[in-house]
Amino acid sequence: MSETSRDALRERALKLDAADPLAPQRELFALDDGVYLDGNSLGALPLHVPDRVRDVLTRQWGELRIRSWDESGWWTAPERIGDRIAPLVGAAAGQIVVGDSTSVNIFKAVVAGSRLADRPDGGPSVHDGGPSVHDGGPSARDGGRDEILVDATTFPTDGYIAASAARLTGRRIVPVDPAEVRAALGPRTAVVLLNHVDYRSGRLHDLPGLTADVHAAGAIAVWDLCHSAGALPVALDEHQVDLAVGCTYKYLNGGPGSPAYLYVAQRHQAAFDSPLPGWNSHADPFGMTPDYTPADGSVRGRVGTPDIVSMLTLDAALDVWDGVSVAAVRAKSLALTDFFLECVEAYVPPGRVSSVTPAAHAERGSQVALRCADAEPVMRRLIERGVVGDLRRPDVLRFGFTPLYVGFADAERAARVLAEVLADVPGENPAA
């Protein structure tokens, strides 16, 4: 590629950054002079968070101590922070509770979803005024809805948890490629667990269409939002999703191991039967009674004592979303990934990498995955040169584009350094 063409791409990147309405958000994060493209694994630290956490440790815990459960709002933090996440995933208040890990919340959702499908009265309605979840048909106990469909390409933990939930509820797991879900649905389907965005390829699945199909089959739809929340519109309420889970340490920047969240649609809350009925979800948690009576609303998703330090770290991190439109984030995400792919095509010799991320905007999340025969040494050298992505063995380079702090100059530089690294790596087998 000529130097003139390289200069043209660099100049374009600078112009795009200058016109970017989200560019000021970058100043809110702790970043170095490298290019950080791994926010789809761990989001960058918002600069104000350490001071907020210091207050939690020194004043709320150090001075107020036990009083902070009331005076600092610790007790209601899971629902209050859930309400802050709600607009980012298109949910009204009162439907999201924060706490536990993604894996634990998947377990709650899949088992509770199975129990909803088992309800002899058909459970609460999937659509307001429409048919019920189950339409009063047979349950798993009499050979009816005895299947849990799970994304065969899913992050492994989702599959492990779903398999355990199937054993617990007397069902069998049916692994299905997301493209084959519609054909696999039927009268035996109880629950369908799907990823909104594939963690390897960055493929965005059709949440509205697939949710409608699951409902038409009389089943419960459970969505994993780990790679979509904070990167693109989700619209849980609009598309009448039943249950959803997600982590907060990726695009929501909550910090390593920050607590996950569980969404329970309002119409299902009265019947939501958690497989982990801890004291925190009791209607009278301090009554310490031997019998369990579930609380009303999203509180039912709680289990034990909340992890307050991590939870309030997340609460502080969510401040970077104040005044930010998810639609603007999505527009920039698509523009960034388009531009990066254009730069890769311009800079990288033919045959060394190939994109496994869909070109179509309707099918793309906020990452670009490139197949590369020498992925491990290539990513190692990229990181050494300040371009931080990650890889999925054996041959996928992943680059996550977090619109709040990644710019177009970052995208151009990453593609340019990738080409330079590939020139130094022999590459015995070109990408397929």
Side-chain angles (χ1 to χ4, degrees):
M1 183 181 187
S2 70
E3 194 59 38
T4 301
S5 298
R6 290 177 186 271
D7 288 343
L9 282 172
R10 291 173 192 163
E11 182 65 25
R12 216 170 105 215
L14 294 174
K15 289 181 179 178
L16 288 167
D17 280 335
D20 173 20
L22 293 177
Q25 298 298 115
R26 183 186 181 101
E27 301 304 316
L28 301 179
F29 292 88
L31 298 165
D32 54 28
D33 58 0
V35 179
Y36 188 63
L37 300 181
D38 207 8
N40 54 330
S41 289
L42 176 64
L45 170 70
L47 286 168
H48 70 281
V49 166
D51 284 341
R52 290 276 291 278
V53 174
R54 192 172 297 112
D55 177 71
V56 172
L57 295 175
T58 60
R59 184 183 64 84
Q60 296 182 33
W61 180 17
E63 297 175 15
L64 295 178
R65 293 178 289 275
I66 197 72
R67 291 161 53 195
S68 276
W69 285 105
D70 292 322
E71 295 180 28
S72 299
W74 286 2
W75 185 257
T76 58
E79 294 76 48
R80 175 171 53 79
I81 301 171
D83 285 347
R84 296 194 70 187
I85 292 172
L88 303 179
V89 293
Q95 298 177 99
I96 293 179
V97 64
V98 174
D100 306 311
S101 67
T102 305
S103 301
V104 171
N105 282 312
I106 287 172
F107 180 74
K108 296 177 200 172
V110 175
V111 174
S114 295
R115 291 173 175 175
L116 285 171
D118 269 346
R119 285 170 59 85
D121 61 354
S125 294
V126 167
H127 305 289
D128 294 336
S132 69
V133 170
H134 192 206
D135 290 336
S139 73
R141 289 183 295 276
D142 53 22
R145 295 188 177 275
D146 59 356
E147 295 180 349
I148 296 175
L149 271 59
V150 61
D151 182 348
T153 64
T154 188
F155 189 77
T157 289
D158 290 33
Y160 306 156
I161 294 293
S164 177
R167 293 193 299 272
L168 181 67
T169 61
R171 291 178 165 83
R172 67 187 187 94
I173 284 291
V174 181
V176 181
D177 187 284
E180 306 298 325
V181 167
R182 291 180 174 91
L185 290 167
R188 307 192 77 87
T189 309
V191 176
V192 181
L193 171 62
L194 295 169
N195 278 258
H196 196 193
V197 174
D198 184 274
Y199 79 102
R200 283 193 186 89
S201 68
R203 177 179 291 276
L204 172 64
H205 296 303
D206 179 14
L207 182 148
L210 287 170
T211 299
D213 289 338
V214 170
H215 288 168
I220 296 288
V222 180
W223 284 92
D224 182 332
L225 309 178
C226 285
H227 286 270
S228 57
L232 52 90
V234 179
L236 293 176
D237 286 353
E238 178 183 349
H239 301 305
Q240 303 224 19
V241 168
D242 300 299
L243 303 162
V245 301
C247 67
T248 62
Y249 50 79
K250 300 182 192 296
Y251 296 106
L252 298 184
N253 312 295
S258 57
Y261 57 90
L262 170 68
Y263 164 89
V264 181
Q266 182 69 44
R267 65 187 180 279
H268 290 314
Q269 289 182 3
F272 180 81
D273 183 7
S274 174
L276 297 172
W279 77 285
N280 254 237
S281 62
H282 197 286
D284 183 14
F286 293 98
M288 304 299 173
T289 59
D291 297 323
Y292 178 75
T293 302
D296 293 331
S298 62
V299 176
R300 289 190 179 198
R302 293 172 65 153
V303 184
T305 305
D307 184 344
I308 289 298
V309 175
S310 289
M311 193 167 292
L312 296 186
T313 300
L314 166 63
D315 190 23
L318 290 171
D319 288 354
V320 300
W321 287 94
D322 291 347
V324 173
S325 159
V326 176
V329 167
R330 177 59 169 166
K332 182 178 176 182
S333 165
L334 292 172
L336 276 171
T337 49
D338 278 344
F339 185 66
F340 177 69
L341 286 167
E342 180 183 348
C343 291
V344 168
E345 184 176 1
Y347 292 163
V348 175
R352 292 304 305 277
V353 300
S354 60
S355 177
V356 295
T357 299
H361 285 182
E363 298 176 0
R364 187 193 308 166
S366 197
Q367 74 179 51
V368 172
L370 301 177
R371 180 161 286 121
C372 176
D374 310 287
E376 291 201 48
V378 167
M379 183 54 70
R380 184 168 58 250
R381 295 194 190 188
L382 282 171
I383 292 172
E384 289 170 355
R385 296 190 55 180
V387 176
V388 180
D390 70 1
L391 63 90
R392 286 294 177 261
R393 293 195 299 264
D395 61 355
V396 173
L397 303 169
R398 292 197 322 169
F399 301 95
F401 289 84
T402 306
L404 293 188
Y405 53 78
V406 174
F408 293 89
D410 295 323
E412 188 276 333
R413 177 180 166 190
R416 178 163 35 88
V417 174
L418 173 62
E420 293 167 359
V421 167
L422 288 169
D424 292 335
V425 175
E428 297 176 5
N429 298 306

